[in-house]
Amino acid sequence: MPFKRLSIGTEPLQTVDDADAFVAGDMVREGADFAILPIIRCSEEEVMDCAHFEPDNLVIKSADNSYCLLGATSSWDSDYEYTETIVGDQVQYAGYIGLKGVVTPAIGSKVPAFGRLLYSILANEASPKVFVRVCLSDENAWQKWNRVRVMCNHSPQLQVLLELGPSTDKAVDMKQWHAEPVQIVTLPESMFVQNAGGYPVLPRQHQATVTAWMDHDVAFAVQMADTGSGLGDRIRYLRHLGQSQPERSVQNTASDEYRDILQAPLQPLMDHLESATYETFEQDEPKYAHYEEAMVRAIGDVAARLKRRIVLMVVGAGRGPLVSRALSAARRLEADVRVVALEKNPSAMVELQRKNATLWLNKVEVIYADMRKRQFAEKADILVSELLGSFGDNELSPECLDGALENLATSDCVCIPRRYTAYVAPLSSSTLFRRAREHTGSYKLETPYVVNIHAAHMLDDAQPVWKFRHGRPVVPTDNQRTSSTVFTARSASIVHGLAGFFDAELYPGVELSICPASHTPDMHSWFPMYFPIQRPLTVDAGARIEVHMWRRTVGAKTWYEWCIDANDSSGIHNVNGHEFWIGQ
């Protein structure tokens, strides 16, 4: 997919005396969107003499171009007793003239001192955004960054400026960095090579790295020893690289708008869904194609066994997409099928009745009823529903189908879906954790969310936690579940919670999945679940991560509880459903 216009700037390594002159000259001429420049230009001795704010020492002298400048502060590693005051003055000045943000030096060996100074800056509500410079050439880069981030209590003002280099290759786990709050990626001019035409390009391995970062909407800064010698060519090349990516499907492009956006899970039993919600689901062609194939197989098998007219009942019919597919399946087999549609949403009933009159030619019996409570003299031979949620059972499909099979089905009724399994995986995602923490409420980190997970790192493959099966005869069952699962961290990381997925067998040989390893191609109806934890847990590579989950039901309420143990324990979240529950 061609990326939207990229933000590409520069970090000049040559001496710059005047930011305004640099913007009007090199930046405009070479087509850069922004620049990272030192706030002051003076020696360490001048800094220690507190003479650094003399007008002649300022590189960024005014607010005239603050919209396109980030200010780099002086060294933080000094033992000089006034370091905090000196750096604080620079940050305050950056805020005063309205810079886009300030860039720290790379984290040195004195991590606690660096973290304390950084947190003291962030404690000032007027502080501009702070970009911590992280050099991937440092083999302990992530560990240092993580220590600083934890010391600063996961401040949302903290961002990362990530320095790549010519040696950046597969040895660096970029998946973990994709889960961090990286906003700027710097590219040294030495990363580029000349092509046959004499123009700078990136080698293939670096192209893959850079285009992956483009997919995370970061800004790029080209580091140049002399911005007048080839900066423009490099910027034009990066823009061309971004525009030459393959096109994505319309559906996947639409899903991209919801990347890392937290959404409350649907409550279809408590709330009537809006027409726009139904319409979004109905655009998922792969999902409904699978449902139709399952119905074709089921009708064929049931017809061969019964030798009579088949009753196929769509329960929770919504606006009727499965009804249309049921009629299509019957036509494909030239089978004698009576289609019945049940729906409890009175507004959706209007749409069903309209379609029955105009589209289905009154071939469907449309009934206003709750599948769990209605009984009919003529029972269903095939029962079809699309009650599956992002975690499989989170829209109470087990409770609904148990009631429907008991009241509406023949003794050998086929249920579509036949079974579904919930999966979880520990994940790291600064973005998801920050957004969950920003939600209002006393227990904002004890609520699961539906989210198109993007800026995240799965620390191990997803594993099953529980499953549900449906069919006749209905065996009295308890839909509560308990699970304990062990994972192994792929790399050093920080756990921000769990990702939840599901797969389903609609009928033998027809399956749907949103699990990363088996995702049904181009299907986009369901985004994964995110179960946050209140206190992120740092883990080493190879660390054991234990996940404990419960599905609990009392009366008309069902809820999940979850806990992660990894060196330390997250504690149990949402105990007794005190923050989140699904109503019947």
Side-chain angles (χ1 to χ4, degrees):
M1 174 188 68
F3 296 104
K4 61 186 179 182
R5 189 181 187 278
L6 300 169
S7 179
I8 305 174
T10 183
E11 182 173 28
L13 303 181
Q14 80 261 29
T15 300
V16 174
D17 294 320
D18 188 298
D20 294 334
F22 181 81
V23 171
D26 288 22
M27 261 190 66
V28 172
R29 183 179 63 251
E30 303 300 329
D33 295 319
F34 67 92
I36 303 169
L37 298 176
I39 296 171
I40 61 170
R41 176 185 53 79
C42 58
S43 66
E44 187 170 346
E45 289 76 16
E46 289 174 307
V47 169
M48 290 184 178
D49 287 340
C50 296
H52 56 293
F53 266 116
E54 293 295 328
D56 289 344
N57 289 337
L58 287 171
V59 174
I60 306 176
K61 304 177 185 298
S62 72
D64 291 349
N65 293 291
S66 59
Y67 69 95
C68 64
L69 294 176
L70 289 95
T73 68
S74 54
S75 172
W76 289 27
D77 245 2
S78 173
D79 286 327
Y80 184 58
E81 60 181 313
Y82 295 124
T83 297
E84 182 173 339
T85 300
I86 293 167
V87 172
D89 286 347
Q90 294 175 33
V91 173
Q92 190 275 334
Y93 176 73
Y96 170 73
I97 62 174
L99 294 186
K100 294 176 65 177
V102 295
V103 179
T104 75
I107 304 170
S109 58
K110 302 169 184 175
V111 177
F114 188 100
R116 205 217 70 80
L117 175 54
L118 182 58
Y119 203 19
S120 71
I121 292 171
L122 297 173
N124 183 349
E125 293 183 358
S127 170
K129 186 179 294 185
V130 177
F131 297 85
V132 177
R133 188 183 298 268
V134 176
C135 303
L136 290 186
S137 57
D138 184 343
E139 62 180 12
N140 295 315
W142 185 84
Q143 285 78 3
K144 288 181 178 179
W145 152 249
N146 187 54
R147 287 182 64 192
V148 167
R149 175 246 308 275
V150 173
M151 291 173 69
C152 293
N153 195 28
H154 305 272
S155 171
Q157 292 174 273
L158 270 184
Q159 309 292 330
V160 172
L161 179 148
L162 194 66
E163 284 197 351
L164 304 188
S167 61
T168 301
D169 55 22
K170 294 180 180 178
V172 178
D173 187 0
M174 285 296 177
K175 290 182 180 178
Q176 179 57 48
W177 286 109
H178 290 162
E180 302 295 353
V182 177
Q183 295 295 306
I184 302 173
V185 172
T186 65
L187 310 173
E189 61 181 303
S190 56
M191 278 188 75
F192 297 80
V193 297
Q194 282 193 343
N195 64 10
Y199 291 97
V201 297
L202 290 170
R204 190 172 300 275
Q205 72 271 22
H206 294 331
Q207 285 184 32
T209 299
V210 170
T211 54
W213 278 115
M214 288 178 178
D215 197 32
H216 285 263
D217 295 329
V218 302
F220 294 91
V222 181
Q223 295 175 323
M224 297 288 294
D226 181 358
T227 50
S229 300
L231 172 62
D233 289 338
R234 288 167 172 80
I235 290 176
R236 284 186 289 273
Y237 166 76
L238 290 172
R239 295 202 192 285
H240 169 74
L241 184 64
Q243 289 299 311
S244 60
Q245 300 308 301
E247 292 283 350
R248 287 163 53 86
S249 70
V250 174
Q251 291 81 6
N252 285 333
T253 301
S255 296
D256 289 348
E257 297 180 7
Y258 295 95
R259 282 179 171 178
D260 299 321
I261 302 299
L262 304 184
Q263 302 176 70
L266 294 177
Q267 298 258 17
L269 295 189
M270 288 177 51
D271 306 323
H272 292 313
L273 301 184
E274 297 178 350
S275 181
T277 304
Y278 287 121
E279 184 176 5
T280 299
F281 294 153
E282 292 165 10
Q283 294 172 357
D284 195 335
E285 171 63 25
K287 167 187 171 180
Y288 290 107
H290 279 72
Y291 263 97
E292 181 172 332
E293 179 59 27
M295 285 187 276
V296 166
R297 297 189 184 197
I299 291 170
D301 290 345
V302 173
R305 172 167 52 85
L306 296 182
K307 309 295 185 183
R308 62 164 172 79
R309 189 183 200 194
I310 297 170
V311 177
L312 186 152
M313 197 172 291
V314 178
V315 291
R319 302 199 315 177
L322 286 182
V323 176
S324 294
R325 294 290 183 160
L327 294 170
S328 175
R331 285 195 301 269
R332 287 169 59 182
L333 294 175
E334 298 181 348
D336 186 9
V337 179
R338 178 188 174 210
V339 177
V340 180
L342 268 70
E343 177 54 51
K344 71 174 185 63
N345 184 340
S347 298
M349 278 293 296
V350 175
E351 183 73 10
L352 288 173
Q353 291 164 340
R354 185 190 68 79
K355 285 184 176 178
N356 196 28
T358 60
L359 180 63
W360 304 326
L361 305 179
N362 292 313
K363 294 179 181 179
V364 178
E365 183 177 357
V366 178
I367 300 172
Y368 177 56
D370 186 326
M371 72 180 80
R372 299 166 296 170
K373 302 173 182 177
R374 186 68 177 264
Q375 295 195 15
F376 296 95
E378 189 173 16
K379 303 295 186 181
D381 301 300
I382 301 173
L383 198 70
V384 186
S385 80
E386 54 176 325
L387 296 169
L388 297 170
S390 296
F391 203 45
D393 57 88
N394 61 289
E395 294 182 16
L396 301 189
S397 179
E399 287 73 15
C400 292
L401 289 180
D402 285 350
L405 286 164
E406 184 67 37
N407 297 324
L408 305 174
T410 61
S411 60
D412 54 358
C413 177
V414 170
C415 186
I416 299 175
R418 293 179 76 236
R419 64 99 188 139
Y420 37 94
T421 305
Y423 294 77
V424 296
L427 96 164
S428 178
S429 176
S430 296
T431 298
L432 296 185
F433 175 73
R434 173 177 57 81
R435 290 179 176 174
R437 194 163 69 163
E438 288 172 352
H439 272 227
T440 58
S442 302
Y443 304 101
K444 47 201 168 187
L445 287 164
E446 297 192 66
T447 296
Y449 299 94
V450 173
V451 57
N452 183 8
I453 297 173
H454 180 62
H457 177 33
M458 301 297 166
L459 303 187
D460 199 355
D461 294 334
Q463 295 189 41
V465 290
W466 50 65
K467 66 178 57 179
F468 292 90
R469 297 182 183 275
H470 297 292
R472 292 285 279 167
V474 177
V475 178
T477 184
D478 180 357
N479 287 324
Q480 297 191 112
R481 295 289 189 272
T482 300
S483 172
S484 291
T485 314
V486 176
F487 299 86
T488 301
R490 289 192 174 108
S491 62
S493 186
I494 185 166
V495 184
H496 290 109
L498 303 169
F501 312 94
F502 83 94
D503 67 19
E505 182 186 55
L506 301 180
Y507 195 75
V510 184
E511 297 185 350
L512 296 176
S513 175
I514 67 166
C515 296
S518 58
H519 199 291
T520 302
D522 295 325
M523 188 175 69
H524 59 89
S525 276
W526 295 282
F527 295 149
M529 295 280 280
Y530 169 51
F531 296 88
I533 56 176
Q534 293 180 320
R535 185 168 56 86
L537 303 173
T538 299
V539 295
D540 296 326
R544 177 186 175 94
I545 303 172
E546 294 185 23
V547 173
H548 311 286
M549 294 201 72
W550 299 263
R551 186 185 197 266
R552 303 282 294 154
T553 297
V554 173
K557 295 183 179 180
T558 298
W559 67 90
Y560 301 111
E561 300 173 5
W562 61 96
C563 174
I564 302 176
D565 291 333
N567 300 323
D568 197 356
S569 178
S570 68
I572 299 175
H573 290 64
N574 196 39
V575 174
N576 295 329
H578 65 79
E579 175 59 17
F580 169 83
W581 48 271
I582 311 157
Q584 299 184 31

